[in-house]
Amino acid sequence: MKRILGCTLAVLLATVAFAKTEKPKLTRAQAQKIALAKAPGTVESAELEKEHGKLVWSFDIKTSRTDITEVLVNANDGSIVAVGVDG
């Protein structure tokens, strides 16, 4: 049992380390341009993160006085992964 847990933990740690060292092909500026084309407004925040196994740039964009639109841009190919509006 200890051996199985040790192997599982090692695999988990290797996966986390890989995620932290994975480099995006798109810069934040390139991804932000794509996101703003999809949801024009003012970028409130941006971060690089893993979503559903993909490296994405996540942007919170103020699109109106009350709405924030979250746009996820694939950090490797520039495709839009998801768009959601918080009212």
Side-chain angles (χ1 to χ4, degrees):
M1 180 73 167
K2 282 184 177 180
R3 181 167 166 74
I4 292 172
L5 279 175
C7 290
T8 303
L9 182 58
V11 170
L12 178 62
L13 291 174
T15 302
V16 170
F18 174 75
K20 290 188 177 220
T21 60
E22 190 176 355
K23 300 290 183 210
K25 291 182 182 174
L26 271 74
T27 65
R28 176 186 166 171
Q30 292 169 320
Q32 184 170 310
K33 186 175 180 180
I34 294 165
L36 287 170
K38 185 70 175 175
T42 304
V43 174
E44 297 288 309
S45 67
E47 65 181 319
L48 186 62
E49 58 189 24
K50 276 276 200 181
E51 285 284 333
H52 306 291
K54 295 180 183 179
L55 189 61
V56 297
W57 284 103
S58 173
F59 296 94
D60 287 339
I61 303 169
K62 188 167 186 151
T63 52
S64 75
R65 226 162 123 189
T66 58
D67 291 341
I68 299 287
T69 301
E70 182 181 32
V71 180
L72 301 181
V73 179
N74 185 306
N76 292 315
D77 67 15
S79 63
I80 301 292
V81 175
V83 178
V85 177
D86 293 326

